[in-house]
């Protein structure tokens, strides 16, 4: 009965995956079709029906976050003993275990980053490179290693692949050779070497291979379109002559070929395993029909692939040469995607920030909004625009959440409280109140602190932990503090941070695997997407797939935009991305009236203080229009009245006070004393929605 319950709630194709408990199996899973749900239920069903014991299963994925998600779901499904790891984590564990037996001596030290060693290698070759160039060289060496090309093979490999090396080919080959020499001399091992050495140990020592193959008999590999040749070699070594393998992937989301990933392993799976079952997941549960229609339109124009029929074809071992999955939306209708054209990038960023502010005012949580771009260098413009619009934001890839001092302190407190039996002491309070009670000792309160800065950042970190407790309680009302601490420790090990309350800024590559209620795809102009460096047909098609990934991140709201010029007043010579041809429908062109253009945020340079002229860098200072320590004409009585009104309004509407207006906005109002709605609208943080909602009340307090 327990095994059968695992199958409940699955759609017909997901159930087919779950019931295909013997390999080889290939699952072609489109974006938002529930692939993680399908494969975790497959593993759980196989273990609960006795096909395999949990300890004999190895589920492999590409990020520690994804591995943590797999373990969490499998634990909930009754299969807690399954090993879910990244390729590197699995290899490191095996290598560390067998090293004393088969090699002996001091094991090599694993290096997290190649850049330092690449710098030493460049100096040894009497070559000089900037920090960014060293990073690009490290990435190029990584590509050469995962594609199994030695330094002497590198020039020919680059020519065959049509790559654009970061330096002269001869120089890259020299640095690569010296890098390998220094690595061996210093007894160091990089991640690629770790995979290669693990495969070599298994190949050269039969007793090791037998032990590993006895331990792991049942393999599942997620995101199989991202497997590179080195990872495929290790997987084949693990398997030996067996074929109990389930692979899951989507060729339409192949966006990492520049790192050596290849969809050929997925597309050739039925050639390598002629008797493989092939199951297609095409029911999209993530996005509205409007978003799905656009996604299908983007990928439907791809060249070099013939779309398969829309409806799933069930099981069968036919070749996968026609692989483009056409998604079928399962959600209710939503708004149509919008297409916006702007005069320049500053206007684009300012309006995107305004729209984000509007969504937040309308009830969309900031953490459910993302602004995505092609390259990381584009983020700075959006950081400035969001700060000016009083919109909180989070840079994906910034400081790791669980390494923040306040988070480490909070986890220690929660762990200690769990050991001391805080659940029993606070019986009846529930998980949410228990966690909030413990976090209060670390400085957490129901309301955020006044202003911005370090105190606000600390509060937001603790608030993220409190929100995580609410999410866990909603999923499992019986969860206690011990369960919550276990979840935190697992997330910390996987660097799976809870969502922070801020609009996400991320590159399209970094957004893969994530989703939001509202997504802004920005900078969609020729030369940016596709990027100017994409020359070959294969490279162009990968750029198209990158746009497809971006579109499929959105659940409900989707906006796509581009600018005709980089800076205000620049030549308006850009054109929209070719990938949007025939898909844009009605495009809104945003050209500000001539009289308003001089008032717009400048393209470069920070806003000056209106008192002393010093450049303003902090968001609160930009909102006030002056340095925090510069004199101001603050009406203190008005500020007190505004804060009292805000507290009453927030209580009536049952929302945090800062959602009405932030402290900085209230202070700016008290300094400017606006005399009309037009004056009030000029203050940063007072958008149209807030103007309509609170404008008359604020002006009344100001005496007008």
């Amino acid at each position: 009965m327990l095994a059968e319950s695992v199958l409940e709630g699955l759609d017909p194709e997901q159930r087919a995956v779950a019931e295909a408990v013997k390999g080889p199996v290939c699952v072609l899973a489109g974006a938002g079709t529930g692939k993680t749900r399908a494969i975790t239920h497959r593993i759980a069903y196989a273990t609960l029906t006795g096909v395999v014991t949990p300890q004999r299963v190895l589920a492999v994925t590409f990020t520690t976050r994804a591995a943590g998600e797999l373990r969490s779901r499998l634990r909930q499904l009754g299969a807690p003993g399954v090993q879910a790891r990244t390729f590197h984590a699995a290899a490191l564990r095996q290598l560390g275990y067998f090293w004393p037996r088969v090699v002996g001596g001091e094991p090599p030290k694993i290096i997290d980053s190649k850049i330092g060693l690449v710098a030493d290698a460049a100096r040894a070759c009497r070559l000089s490179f900037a920090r960014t160039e060293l990073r690009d060289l490290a990435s190029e060496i990584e590509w050469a290693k995962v594609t199994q090309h030695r330094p002497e093979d590198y020039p020919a490999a680059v020519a065959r692949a049509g790559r654009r090396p970061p330096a002269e080919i001869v120089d890259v080959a020299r640095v690569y050779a010296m890098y390998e020499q220094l690595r061996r001399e210093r007894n160091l091992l990089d991640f690629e070497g770790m995979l290669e050495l693990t495969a070599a140990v298994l190949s050269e020592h039969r007793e090791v291979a037998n032990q590993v193959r006895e331990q792991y008999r049942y393999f599942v590999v997620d995101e199989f379109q991202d497997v590179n040749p080195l990872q495929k070699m290790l997987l084949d070594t693990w398997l030996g002559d067996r074929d109990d393998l389930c692979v899951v992937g989507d060729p339409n989301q192949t966006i990492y070929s520049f790192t050596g990933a290849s969809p050929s392993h997925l597309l050739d799976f039925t050639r390598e395993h002629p008797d493989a079952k092939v199951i297609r997941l095409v029911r999209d549960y993530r996005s509205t029909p409007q978003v799905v229609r656009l996604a299908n339109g983007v990928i439907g124009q791809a060249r070099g692939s013939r779309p398969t029929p829309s409806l799933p074809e069930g099981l069968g071992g036919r070749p996968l040469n026609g692989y483009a999955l056409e998604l079928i939306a399962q959600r209710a209708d939503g708004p149509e995607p919008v297409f916006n054209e702007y005069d320049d990038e500053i206007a684009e960023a300012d309006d995107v920030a305004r729209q984000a502010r509007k969504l937040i005012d309308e009830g969309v949580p900031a953490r459910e909004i993302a602004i995505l771009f092609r390259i990381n260098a584009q983020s700075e413009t959006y950081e400035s625009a969001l700060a000016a619009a009083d919109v909180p934001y989070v840079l994906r890839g910034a400081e790791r959440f669980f390494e923040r001092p306040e988070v480490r302190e909070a986890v220690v407190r929660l762990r200690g409280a769990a050991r001391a039996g805080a659940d029993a002491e606070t019986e009846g309070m529930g998980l949410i109140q228990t966690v909030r009670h413990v976090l209060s000792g670390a400085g957490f309160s129901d309301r955020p602190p006044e202003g911005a800065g370090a105190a606000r950042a600390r509060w937001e970190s603790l608030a993220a932990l409190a929100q995580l407790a609410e999410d866990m309680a909603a999923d499992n009302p019986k969860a206690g503090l011990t369960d919550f601490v276990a979840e935190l420790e697992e997330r910390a090990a996987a660097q799976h941070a809870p969502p922070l309350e801020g609009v996400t800024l991320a590159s399209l590559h970094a957004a893969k695997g994530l989703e939001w209620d509202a997504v802004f795809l920005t900078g969609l102009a020729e030369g940016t997407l596709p990027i100017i460096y994409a020359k070959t047909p294969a490279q162009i098609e990968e750029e198209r797939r990158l746009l497809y990934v971006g579109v499929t991140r959105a659940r409900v709201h989707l906006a796509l935009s581009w600018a005709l010029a980089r800076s205000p007043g620049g030549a308006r010579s850009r054109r929209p991305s070719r990938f949007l041809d025939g898909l844009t429908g009605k495009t809104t062109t945003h050209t500000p009236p001539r009289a308003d253009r001089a008032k717009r945020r400048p393209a470069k340079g920070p806003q000056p203080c209106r008192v002393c002229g010093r450049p303003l860098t902090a968001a609160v200072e930009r909102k006030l229009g002056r340095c925090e320590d510069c004199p101001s004409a603050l009406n203190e009585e008005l500020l007190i009245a505004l804060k009292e009104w805000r507290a009453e309004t927030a209580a009536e509407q049952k929302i945090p006070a800062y959602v009405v207006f932030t402290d900085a906005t209230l202070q700016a109002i008290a300094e400017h004393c606006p005399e009309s709605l037009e004056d009030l609208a000029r203050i940063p943080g007072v958008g149209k929605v807030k103007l309509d909602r609170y404008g008359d009340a604020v002006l009344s307090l100001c005496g007008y």
Side-chain angles (χ1 to χ4, degrees):
M1 291 298 295
L2 182 59
E4 289 301 314
S5 68
V6 169
L7 302 178
E8 294 176 0
L10 301 179
D11 68 28
E13 295 76 47
Q14 293 171 346
R15 183 172 181 128
V17 173
E19 291 179 328
V21 292
K22 298 296 291 183
V25 176
C26 177
V27 181
L28 294 178
T33 58
K35 68 177 179 64
T36 304
R37 177 179 175 83
I39 60 175
T40 51
H41 281 69
R42 177 183 185 268
I43 295 171
Y45 188 65
T47 60
L48 293 172
T49 54
V51 172
V52 64
T53 58
Q55 293 74 21
R56 297 290 186 265
V57 180
L58 179 59
V60 187
T61 188
F62 282 81
T63 66
T64 53
R65 179 182 181 277
E69 177 71 14
L70 286 175
R71 288 193 296 270
S72 177
R73 293 203 191 190
L74 288 167
R75 186 170 59 246
Q76 294 172 7
L77 290 171
V82 172
Q83 295 296 308
R85 301 182 181 277
T86 64
F87 273 100
H88 294 105
L92 179 60
R93 188 177 188 187
Q94 292 173 19
L95 195 60
Y97 181 81
F98 291 111
W99 184 271
R101 184 196 309 179
V102 300
V103 181
E106 185 70 20
K109 179 183 177 182
I110 307 297
I111 55 175
D112 292 329
S113 171
K114 294 182 178 65
I115 294 179
L117 194 56
V118 170
D120 291 347
R123 281 192 294 269
C125 294
R126 299 183 181 278
L127 296 170
S128 178
F129 296 102
R131 177 76 178 179
T132 55
E133 293 172 319
L134 289 172
R135 184 189 60 204
D136 292 341
L137 278 170
S139 297
E140 190 69 3
I141 291 172
E142 181 174 321
W143 171 82
K145 298 192 73 170
V146 301
T147 53
Q148 296 287 275
H149 293 113
R150 305 304 178 198
E152 57 272 19
D153 305 327
Y154 172 77
V158 167
R160 285 194 303 272
R163 287 180 71 82
R164 183 176 178 269
E168 292 293 332
I169 292 178
V170 174
D171 289 341
V172 176
R174 289 174 58 205
V175 173
Y176 179 16
M178 182 56 67
Y179 168 90
E180 289 290 85
Q181 178 181 326
L182 293 178
R183 184 185 60 76
R184 288 189 293 268
E185 290 175 355
R186 299 176 185 181
N187 196 30
L188 301 175
L189 197 62
D190 54 27
F191 287 133
E192 296 74 44
M194 184 201 316
L195 300 186
E196 193 172 32
L197 187 54
T198 303
V201 167
L202 268 67
S203 298
E204 296 171 10
H205 298 272
R206 182 175 295 275
E207 71 281 7
V208 172
N210 289 340
Q211 186 171 343
V212 170
R213 291 167 187 166
E214 174 65 22
Q215 173 67 46
Y216 298 118
R217 303 179 180 180
Y218 200 82
F219 293 85
V220 177
V221 184
D222 194 11
E223 304 287 4
F224 201 60
Q225 78 279 353
D226 292 334
V227 166
N228 62 47
L230 183 53
Q231 291 164 333
K232 179 62 164 57
M233 180 181 73
L234 178 59
L235 177 63
D236 290 342
T237 307
W238 283 337
L239 278 168
D241 58 359
R242 301 167 300 170
D243 63 359
D244 218 340
L245 170 66
C246 173
V247 300
V248 188
D250 181 5
N252 292 337
Q253 296 189 66
T254 302
I255 59 173
Y256 294 113
S257 65
F258 65 93
T259 67
S262 172
S264 63
H265 305 303
L266 177 63
L267 299 178
D268 292 341
F269 190 79
T270 53
R271 294 188 177 93
E272 189 173 352
H273 303 280
D275 58 340
K277 297 181 180 72
V278 179
I279 307 170
R280 290 172 171 78
L281 302 182
V282 295
R283 302 176 196 261
D284 188 316
Y285 297 94
R286 174 187 300 160
S287 306
T288 63
Q290 289 74 17
V291 173
V292 169
R293 189 180 305 122
L294 179 60
N296 286 336
V298 169
I299 206 64
Q301 296 182 9
R303 299 174 183 176
S305 64
R306 176 176 54 82
T308 55
S310 299
L311 294 177
E313 298 184 11
L315 309 182
R318 68 184 186 80
L320 305 178
N321 53 345
Y323 61 76
L325 299 171
E326 185 176 340
L327 300 174
I328 304 174
Q330 304 297 301
R331 291 189 57 161
D333 281 341
E336 290 288 342
V338 297
F339 300 85
N340 295 317
E341 182 177 275
Y342 298 91
D343 277 356
D344 53 72
E345 291 180 0
I346 300 299
E348 181 181 12
D350 285 347
D351 196 54
V352 167
R354 180 192 63 78
Q355 293 180 64
R357 178 75 265 172
K358 182 174 183 291
L359 286 170
I360 294 171
D361 291 342
E362 292 173 349
V364 178
R367 63 176 174 172
E368 287 296 347
I369 302 173
I371 300 173
L372 308 181
F373 30 76
R374 174 61 179 85
I375 56 176
N376 288 319
Q378 294 170 269
S379 73
E380 185 176 355
T381 303
Y382 288 91
E383 292 177 57
S384 298
L386 291 170
D390 193 34
V391 176
Y393 64 87
V394 177
L395 273 172
R396 182 157 179 80
E399 179 190 17
R400 291 184 171 184
F401 178 80
F402 286 100
E403 293 176 3
R404 297 178 182 180
E406 64 270 19
V407 175
R408 290 201 301 266
E409 177 191 347
V411 172
V412 169
R413 287 176 176 271
L414 289 164
R415 187 184 297 122
R419 289 173 179 168
D423 279 327
E425 295 175 10
T426 56
E427 189 173 356
M429 291 175 64
L431 175 63
I432 298 172
Q433 292 304 318
T434 301
V435 170
R436 285 176 171 266
H437 175 73
V438 176
L439 292 179
S440 66
F444 178 69
S445 60
D446 288 338
R447 293 192 177 188
E450 300 289 335
R456 178 58 181 262
R458 177 184 176 88
W459 182 88
E460 288 178 349
S461 296
L462 298 177
L465 295 175
Q467 180 61 51
L468 185 62
E470 292 186 22
D471 295 343
M472 178 178 246
D475 292 338
N476 179 13
K478 296 182 179 180
L481 187 58
T482 302
D483 302 311
F484 182 68
V485 170
E487 175 73 10
L488 286 180
E489 290 175 343
E490 185 170 321
R491 282 174 171 265
Q495 287 301 327
H496 182 190
L500 301 177
E501 196 54 47
V503 172
T504 299
L505 291 175
S507 70
L508 287 165
H509 282 101
K512 186 171 178 291
L514 304 174
E515 58 186 80
W516 296 269
D517 284 345
V519 170
F520 295 89
L521 301 179
T522 63
L524 303 182
E526 284 290 306
T528 304
L529 192 76
I531 196 75
I532 192 172
Y533 305 123
K535 301 294 186 183
T536 67
Q539 291 168 341
I540 294 294
E541 287 308 309
E542 181 146 335
E543 295 287 302
R544 186 193 307 277
R545 294 193 294 270
L546 202 52
L547 175 59
Y548 174 81
V549 166
V551 170
T552 55
R553 300 310 93 195
R555 298 191 190 105
V556 181
H557 305 279
L558 177 62
L560 303 91
S561 61
W562 58 91
L564 300 178
R566 179 176 182 181
S567 304
R572 300 166 73 239
S573 57
R574 293 177 175 175
R575 65 182 184 88
S577 169
R578 71 190 74 174
F579 304 142
L580 299 178
D581 290 351
L583 301 175
T584 56
K586 182 180 179 182
T587 298
T588 302
T589 302
H590 297 263
T591 303
R594 186 178 300 276
D596 292 342
R597 293 178 189 175
K599 302 176 184 177
R600 292 174 51 208
R601 186 166 56 89
K604 293 182 179 179
Q607 172 187 349
C609 172
R610 56 184 164 84
V611 179
C612 70
R614 183 183 69 82
L616 302 178
T617 56
V620 65
E621 292 182 335
R622 289 196 295 268
K623 177 169 290 188
L624 295 173
R626 62 169 178 81
C627 303
E628 286 192 276
D629 54 357
C630 278
S632 68
L634 175 66
N635 185 330
E636 294 186 1
E637 291 184 2
L638 175 57
L639 181 59
I640 293 172
L642 287 168
K643 287 188 174 182
E644 290 177 350
W645 163 81
R646 182 183 64 174
E648 293 172 358
T649 303
E652 290 174 2
Q653 299 179 1
K654 297 181 179 180
I655 58 176
Y658 71 89
V659 173
V660 179
F661 283 121
T662 63
D663 290 328
T665 299
L666 291 186
Q667 188 170 343
I669 293 172
E671 289 186 12
H672 289 82
C673 292
E675 300 179 3
S676 65
L677 291 176
E678 290 75 16
D679 290 344
L680 182 59
R682 295 190 185 100
I683 296 176
V686 183
K688 184 178 183 306
V689 172
K690 291 193 177 183
L691 194 67
D692 294 341
R693 190 174 297 167
Y694 307 124
D696 291 339
V698 170
L699 288 179
S700 176
L701 291 170
C702 293
Y704 298 98

PDB file of all heavy atoms in Angstrom, residues 193-194 244 268 293 339 558:
ATOM      1  N   GLY A 193      40.760  16.531 -12.555  1.00  0.00           N
ATOM      2  CA  GLY A 193      41.696  15.470 -12.213  1.00  0.00           C
ATOM      3  C   GLY A 193      41.114  14.477 -11.237  1.00  0.00           C
ATOM      4  O   GLY A 193      41.402  13.276 -11.288  1.00  0.00           O
ATOM      5  N   MET A 194      40.240  14.979 -10.339  1.00  0.00           N
ATOM      6  CA  MET A 194      39.591  14.092  -9.379  1.00  0.00           C
ATOM      7  C   MET A 194      38.717  13.060 -10.092  1.00  0.00           C
ATOM      8  O   MET A 194      38.759  11.865  -9.777  1.00  0.00           O
ATOM      9  CB  MET A 194      38.740  14.920  -8.416  1.00  0.00           C
ATOM     10  CG  MET A 194      38.100  14.116  -7.303  1.00  0.00           C
ATOM     11  SD  MET A 194      36.668  14.968  -6.601  1.00  0.00           S
ATOM     12  CE  MET A 194      37.254  16.625  -6.448  1.00  0.00           C
ATOM     13  N   ASP A 244      21.517  -0.739 -15.722  1.00  0.00           N
ATOM     14  CA  ASP A 244      20.426  -0.281 -14.859  1.00  0.00           C
ATOM     15  C   ASP A 244      20.603   1.219 -14.620  1.00  0.00           C
ATOM     16  O   ASP A 244      21.000   1.670 -13.541  1.00  0.00           O
ATOM     17  CB  ASP A 244      20.402  -1.043 -13.539  1.00  0.00           C
ATOM     18  CG  ASP A 244      18.970  -1.326 -13.090  1.00  0.00           C
ATOM     19  OD1 ASP A 244      18.073  -0.622 -13.588  1.00  0.00           O
ATOM     20  OD2 ASP A 244      18.766  -2.237 -12.288  1.00  0.00           O
ATOM     21  N   ASP A 268      22.058  10.300 -28.118  1.00  0.00           N
ATOM     22  CA  ASP A 268      22.547   9.005 -28.607  1.00  0.00           C
ATOM     23  C   ASP A 268      22.241   7.862 -27.639  1.00  0.00           C
ATOM     24  O   ASP A 268      22.734   6.752 -27.827  1.00  0.00           O
ATOM     25  CB  ASP A 268      24.061   9.076 -28.842  1.00  0.00           C
ATOM     26  CG  ASP A 268      24.419   9.991 -30.006  1.00  0.00           C
ATOM     27  OD1 ASP A 268      23.527  10.271 -30.825  1.00  0.00           O
ATOM     28  OD2 ASP A 268      25.578  10.427 -30.084  1.00  0.00           O
ATOM     29  N   ARG A 293       3.156  29.284 -24.679  1.00  0.00           N
ATOM     30  CA  ARG A 293       3.035  29.529 -26.116  1.00  0.00           C
ATOM     31  C   ARG A 293       4.272  30.262 -26.640  1.00  0.00           C
ATOM     32  O   ARG A 293       4.787  29.930 -27.716  1.00  0.00           O
ATOM     33  CB  ARG A 293       1.776  30.353 -26.388  1.00  0.00           C
ATOM     34  CG  ARG A 293       1.420  30.486 -27.868  1.00  0.00           C
ATOM     35  CD  ARG A 293       0.161  31.308 -28.055  1.00  0.00           C
ATOM     36  NE  ARG A 293      -0.937  30.757 -27.276  1.00  0.00           N
ATOM     37  CZ  ARG A 293      -1.620  31.421 -26.343  1.00  0.00           C
ATOM     38  NH1 ARG A 293      -1.303  32.678 -26.077  1.00  0.00           N
ATOM     39  NH2 ARG A 293      -2.599  30.839 -25.683  1.00  0.00           N
ATOM     40  N   PHE A 339       6.227  43.083 -24.543  1.00  0.00           N
ATOM     41  CA  PHE A 339       7.480  43.388 -25.228  1.00  0.00           C
ATOM     42  C   PHE A 339       7.666  44.899 -25.212  1.00  0.00           C
ATOM     43  O   PHE A 339       6.797  45.644 -25.670  1.00  0.00           O
ATOM     44  CB  PHE A 339       7.445  42.873 -26.665  1.00  0.00           C
ATOM     45  CG  PHE A 339       7.256  41.385 -26.770  1.00  0.00           C
ATOM     46  CD1 PHE A 339       5.988  40.827 -26.748  1.00  0.00           C
ATOM     47  CD2 PHE A 339       8.352  40.542 -26.871  1.00  0.00           C
ATOM     48  CE1 PHE A 339       5.804  39.455 -26.829  1.00  0.00           C
ATOM     49  CE2 PHE A 339       8.182  39.167 -26.954  1.00  0.00           C
ATOM     50  CZ  PHE A 339       6.912  38.627 -26.930  1.00  0.00           C
ATOM     51  N   LEU A 558       5.585  37.888 -17.522  1.00  0.00           N
ATOM     52  CA  LEU A 558       6.810  37.834 -18.325  1.00  0.00           C
ATOM     53  C   LEU A 558       6.905  39.102 -19.160  1.00  0.00           C
ATOM     54  O   LEU A 558       5.970  39.456 -19.881  1.00  0.00           O
ATOM     55  CB  LEU A 558       6.810  36.607 -19.229  1.00  0.00           C
ATOM     56  CG  LEU A 558       8.009  36.458 -20.180  1.00  0.00           C
ATOM     57  CD1 LEU A 558       9.314  36.331 -19.390  1.00  0.00           C
ATOM     58  CD2 LEU A 558       7.823  35.250 -21.095  1.00  0.00           C
TER      59      LEU A 558
END
